[in-house]
Amino acid sequence: MNDPRYQDVYEYMKGFLTEERLSKIEKYAEESSDFVLPVLENIYQFRNAAAIIRSVEACGFHKIAALEEENVFNPNTRVARGADTWMQVEKMPKTMSSLQQIRDKGYKILAVSPEKNAVSLPEYELKEPVALIFGTEMEGVSQEVLDFADETLIIPMYGFTQSFNVSVAAAICMYELKQKLLKSDIDYKLSDEKKLAMKIRWAVNSARSGDEVLNHYLKKHNIEAAF
């Protein structure tokens, strides 16, 4: 994203958007953040995948990482209700190497699970970027991921039921952590460079034949895409 022509790319793509859509892109880009990165471990129910995307986007976070093993991350677009238009999904193999790549980007690995002296969500002090790992629907976070994690987080339970559906757990965690950020003095929003890249993606996803339009422009101006 060091090429100064990327701003020109965005200006060009804006010409294919309605005023209403452009206004929304400019508005919601300002609140977007990747300070909390949801990481989904081998989620197999497409309704859960879509519900998680919807909740994450509603909280102003626009990227998730999907660790795939035998299951392909394939959200149901009807359940997502258009949220998938705004989300960037990075699919990665379910390996410790993938988690190490996330850690190397500056994220603390935080597994949502009651093991390892887990910290209660309301009491958790959010001080640095966190990759929040949610496990499979039946088994939760795998042992190898728990062993790799820097810390674990637990959602308090007040009834006989001792676990939430994974999509509900994700919604609770993302909303609670967003509230913590809003009340803090942490600079949690996207950098100008990341924000521009995101706005280009949103414009492309919003325009009719957006990918073709973008690729034609990039080829014509000899620009290499990095977004």
Side-chain angles (χ1 to χ4, degrees), residues 139-204:
E139 299 177 359
V141 179
S142 66
Q143 187 60 52
E144 62 178 346
V145 172
L146 285 173
D147 291 340
F148 186 89
D150 299 305
E151 200 170 353
T152 55
L153 190 70
I154 187 172
I155 304 172
M157 304 288 170
Y158 305 102
F160 291 103
T161 302
Q162 289 299 297
S163 66
F164 287 109
N165 171 277
V166 63
S167 64
V168 175
I172 292 172
C173 288
M174 298 307 296
Y175 185 83
E176 179 72 17
L177 293 178
K178 180 57 179 283
Q179 298 309 303
K180 291 179 183 291
L181 288 174
L182 289 171
K183 297 172 183 177
S184 75
D185 58 0
I186 296 173
D187 182 15
Y188 65 87
K189 296 182 182 180
L190 294 179
S191 66
D192 289 341
E193 185 177 287
K194 287 182 177 180
K195 185 162 56 178
L196 177 58
M198 186 185 65
K199 290 197 291 186
I200 292 173
R201 289 194 299 270
W202 285 359
V204 170

Side-chain angles (χ1 to χ4, degrees), residues 84-155:
D84 52 316
T85 300
W86 314 112
M87 293 296 298
Q88 181 183 7
V89 178
E90 182 177 3
K91 295 185 177 183
M92 311 173 74
K94 188 205 154 187
T95 63
M96 296 306 99
S97 176
S98 293
L99 286 179
Q100 186 60 52
Q101 289 178 42
I102 294 173
R103 178 182 278 161
D104 290 344
K105 292 178 180 178
Y107 287 98
K108 182 177 185 179
I109 306 298
L110 192 61
V112 180
S113 182
E115 288 87 357
K116 294 176 63 176
N117 299 315
V119 179
S120 176
L121 175 61
E123 299 172 2
Y124 184 74
E125 295 185 21
L126 186 58
K127 298 179 179 179
E128 59 191 309
V130 295
L132 204 60
I133 304 180
F134 299 94
T136 59
E137 289 87 345
M138 293 297 293
E139 299 177 359
V141 179
S142 66
Q143 187 60 52
E144 62 178 346
V145 172
L146 285 173
D147 291 340
F148 186 89
D150 299 305
E151 200 170 353
T152 55
L153 190 70
I154 187 172
I155 304 172

Side-chain angles (χ1 to χ4, degrees), residues 8-138:
D8 296 332
V9 174
Y10 180 53
E11 294 299 326
Y12 177 74
M13 292 305 305
K14 283 164 59 174
F16 296 87
L17 306 179
T18 65
E19 286 296 327
E20 180 181 10
R21 178 53 60 92
L22 178 58
S23 176
K24 288 183 177 180
I25 287 177
E26 293 289 348
K27 175 182 178 180
Y28 295 119
E30 293 304 317
E31 186 56 41
S32 185
S33 172
D34 60 0
F35 199 87
V36 180
L37 175 68
V39 180
L40 312 181
E41 184 189 4
N42 204 29
I43 298 294
Y44 64 87
Q45 291 189 4
F46 58 84
R47 289 184 178 275
N48 281 334
I52 292 171
I53 281 181
R54 186 174 175 181
S55 296
V56 171
E57 196 287 321
C59 291
F61 300 99
H62 293 101
K63 183 176 181 179
I64 66 172
L67 303 182
E68 297 181 329
E69 195 170 37
E70 68 270 15
N71 301 316
V72 176
F73 185 78
N74 185 27
N76 184 308
T77 54
R78 290 183 63 186
V79 178
R81 297 295 294 273
D84 52 316
T85 300
W86 314 112
M87 293 296 298
Q88 181 183 7
V89 178
E90 182 177 3
K91 295 185 177 183
M92 311 173 74
K94 188 205 154 187
T95 63
M96 296 306 99
S97 176
S98 293
L99 286 179
Q100 186 60 52
Q101 289 178 42
I102 294 173
R103 178 182 278 161
D104 290 344
K105 292 178 180 178
Y107 287 98
K108 182 177 185 179
I109 306 298
L110 192 61
V112 180
S113 182
E115 288 87 357
K116 294 176 63 176
N117 299 315
V119 179
S120 176
L121 175 61
E123 299 172 2
Y124 184 74
E125 295 185 21
L126 186 58
K127 298 179 179 179
E128 59 191 309
V130 295
L132 204 60
I133 304 180
F134 299 94
T136 59
E137 289 87 345
M138 293 297 293

Side-chain angles (χ1 to χ4, degrees), residues 1-17 22 25-26 193 195-205 207 210-227:
M1 284 297 296
N2 294 323
D3 194 325
R5 294 177 295 174
Y6 287 142
Q7 183 62 48
D8 296 332
V9 174
Y10 180 53
E11 294 299 326
Y12 177 74
M13 292 305 305
K14 283 164 59 174
F16 296 87
L17 306 179
L22 178 58
I25 287 177
E26 293 289 348
E193 185 177 287
K195 185 162 56 178
L196 177 58
M198 186 185 65
K199 290 197 291 186
I200 292 173
R201 289 194 299 270
W202 285 359
V204 170
N205 291 344
D211 286 322
E212 294 179 17
V213 172
L214 173 66
N215 290 332
H216 176 75
Y217 182 88
L218 296 178
K219 184 176 181 180
K220 179 179 179 180
H221 295 274
N222 194 29
I223 300 174
E224 183 176 350
F227 40 78

